[in-house]
């Protein structure tokens, strides 16, 4: 079990600790930012692989519950500000994958397999080492290619529903200038307001059955196409874009991540929630800084309270998941994808930058990016798998020969 850092830190008296609400506020903000900035991506991804509106709502609810319960356990046991999230890059991957042979039940089977793989990285160190053998540039290039089509959605929507999407984009741009952290949540609020006004103008209302959360169980179906086309890319993207950066963020604030417990909890949580439509749970990356940094108070030994509070906040947010799904589902065609695209623009920029960071190793990442962006599906397996395979093959062919090898 990881311990808080031993180097000098600001200490508070017991009375000061009781009066310091900053860890609690930081935890609430962490959950709000994590949830509101990416739940539209989750819905877009689940719908793309065959989920009905009710099944997508169930998946969002299951993810929210799994994240909340997992954070409560890990932060309390480790006394480290560990925070969890759902795999936003993984959801973006689903949004561009499309349905596989076996449709939604096969996708659920792939989610279950992903949970098993994540848990195995905690139990089998060799699997974690194998993950590190995949070049980070190729993993980032695959992610960038997957994100491209979704990030184009806001600008495509300007040509189809300009009156709906223009206020959302303008709000996002203004908030990027004033308060970047809140840019996506603010854009989401504007989108929900626009949708609500549209529904009210049309005389449409939501019934109780559409606003009350509920879980819908799906029997998983396992197929080679779904494992190769969904589970493996989802596992790679989740590990490379969420779990590894999540460890780095905590380390930057002086904390050691409880790696094995975190992988076991997120893997088990993913597997348990998969049959209700959840795709993947993982360590939080960007939002982790909110709970581990100075905003959570000067006393590093009490910042775990921020993580714990974020878990509790996720459980509260779960009660509103169905209502949000109903509102978003009632939006004009393309609106959901447009909001999701805005949420992922920063991730796309970071992935492209990381993929092309090495000037001597750009061809293989470029091939990976283009293959992933092409949407190619072969033998029932989506482009993410073939993109990674093509990038590895090109990198192997172009790898410089060792000096003296030709002698």
């Amino acid at each position: 079990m990881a311990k808080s850092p031993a180097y000098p830190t600001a200490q508070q008296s017991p009375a000061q600790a009781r009066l310091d609400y900053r860890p609690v506020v930081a935890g609430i903000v962490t959950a709000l930012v994590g949830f509101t900035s990416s739940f539209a991506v989750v819905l877009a991804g689940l719908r793309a692989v065959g989920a009905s509106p009710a099944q997508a709502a169930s998946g969002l609810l299951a993810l929210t519950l799994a994240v909340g319960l997992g954070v409560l356990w890990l932060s309390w046991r480790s006394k480290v500000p560990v925070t969890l999230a759902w795999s936003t890059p993984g959801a973006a991957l689903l949004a561009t994958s499309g349905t596989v042979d076996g449709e939604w039940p096969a996708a659920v089977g792939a989610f279950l397999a992903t949970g098993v793989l994540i848990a195995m990285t905690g139990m089998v160190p060799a699997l974690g080492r194998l993950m590190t053998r995949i070049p980070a540039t190729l993993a980032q290039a695959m992610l960038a290619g997957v994100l491209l089509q979704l990030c184009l959605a806001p600008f495509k929507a300007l040509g189809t529903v300009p009156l709906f999407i223009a206020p959302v984009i303008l709000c996002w741009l203004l908030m990027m200038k004033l308060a970047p952290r809140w840019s996506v949540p603010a854009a989401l609020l504007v989108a929900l307001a626009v949708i609500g006004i549209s529904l009210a103008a049309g005389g449409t209302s939501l019934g109780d059955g559409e606003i009350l959360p509920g879980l819908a169980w799906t029997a998983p179906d396992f197929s080679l196409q779904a494992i190769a086309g969904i589970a493996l890319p989802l596992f790679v993207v989740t590990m490379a874009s969420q779990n590894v950066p999540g460890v780095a963020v905590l380390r930057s604030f002086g904390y050691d991540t409880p790696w094995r417990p975190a992988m076991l909890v997120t893997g088990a949580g993913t597997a348990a929630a998969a049959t209700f439509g959840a795709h993947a749970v993982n360590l939080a990356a960007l939002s982790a800084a909110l709970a581990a940094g100075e905003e959570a108070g000067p006393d590093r030994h009490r910042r775990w309270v921020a993580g714990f509070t974020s878990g509790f906040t996720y459980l509260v947010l779960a009660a509103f998941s169905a209502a949000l799904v109903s509102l978003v589902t009632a939006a004009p065609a393309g609106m959901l994808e447009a909001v999701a695209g805005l949420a992922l623009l920063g991730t796309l920029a970071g992935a492209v930058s990381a993929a092309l960071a090495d000037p001597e190793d750009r061809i293989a990442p470029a091939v990976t990016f283009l293959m992933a962006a092409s949407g190619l599906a072969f033998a029932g397996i989506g482009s993410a798998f073939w993109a990674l395979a093509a990038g590895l093959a090109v990198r192997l062919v172009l790898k410089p020969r060792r000096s003296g090898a030709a002698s």
Side-chain angles (χ1 to χ4, degrees), residues 13-29:
S13 68
Q16 288 176 319
R18 286 193 297 269
L19 295 174
D20 189 359
Y21 295 102
R22 279 174 288 185
V24 174
V25 174
I28 295 172
V29 171

Side-chain angles (χ1 to χ4, degrees), residues 5-296:
Y7 53 76
T9 181
Q11 296 285 348
Q12 294 175 295
S13 68
Q16 288 176 319
R18 286 193 297 269
L19 295 174
D20 189 359
Y21 295 102
R22 279 174 288 185
V24 174
V25 174
I28 295 172
V29 171
T30 299
L32 287 174
V33 171
F35 184 95
T36 59
S37 64
S38 59
F39 87 87
V41 186
V42 172
L43 296 179
L46 296 180
R47 293 299 304 274
V49 292
S52 67
Q55 289 166 335
S58 172
L60 179 62
L61 174 60
L63 282 168
T64 308
L65 292 174
V67 168
L69 293 173
V71 173
L72 289 175
W73 173 257
L74 286 171
S75 59
W76 177 70
R77 289 284 295 176
S78 67
K79 296 300 186 288
V80 169
V82 181
T83 51
L84 302 182
W86 48 63
S87 178
T88 301
L93 184 149
L94 298 179
T96 60
S97 296
T99 56
V100 294
D101 187 24
E103 299 186 337
W104 177 242
V108 169
F111 301 161
L112 183 56
T114 302
V116 172
L117 288 172
I118 293 173
M120 286 179 63
T121 61
M123 295 185 294
V124 183
L127 183 58
R129 291 193 295 270
L130 179 63
M131 276 298 306
T132 62
R133 299 288 298 274
I134 299 175
T137 54
L138 298 189
Q140 292 297 326
M142 180 184 73
L143 174 60
V146 164
L147 295 177
L148 180 62
Q149 292 301 321
L150 201 54
C151 289
L152 288 173
F155 310 102
K156 291 181 177 179
L158 279 174
T160 55
V161 284
L163 294 180
F164 286 88
I165 197 62
V168 178
I169 293 178
L170 289 175
C171 173
W172 170 81
L173 184 60
L174 180 62
M175 292 301 293
M176 282 295 293
K177 174 68 175 179
L178 301 177
R181 181 182 302 159
W182 294 99
S183 59
V184 175
L188 174 65
L189 286 177
V190 172
L192 293 177
V194 170
I195 295 169
I197 293 171
S198 175
L199 292 177
T204 305
S205 61
L206 301 178
D208 291 341
E210 296 175 294
I211 62 175
L212 298 177
L215 295 171
W217 187 79
T218 299
D221 183 24
F222 299 95
S223 70
L224 178 61
Q225 291 88 350
I227 297 299
I230 294 180
L232 290 180
L234 179 57
F235 171 65
V236 171
V237 164
T238 299
M239 294 298 297
S241 301
Q242 293 282 163
N243 285 333
V244 173
V247 171
V249 169
L250 281 178
R251 185 181 296 123
S252 71
F253 289 102
Y255 298 99
D256 292 326
T257 302
W259 175 256
R260 184 174 183 180
M263 293 303 98
L264 292 176
V265 167
T266 56
T270 298
T275 54
F276 299 105
H279 68 292
V281 176
N282 45 247
L283 290 170
L286 296 178
S287 61
L290 298 174
E294 294 292 335
E295 293 175 331

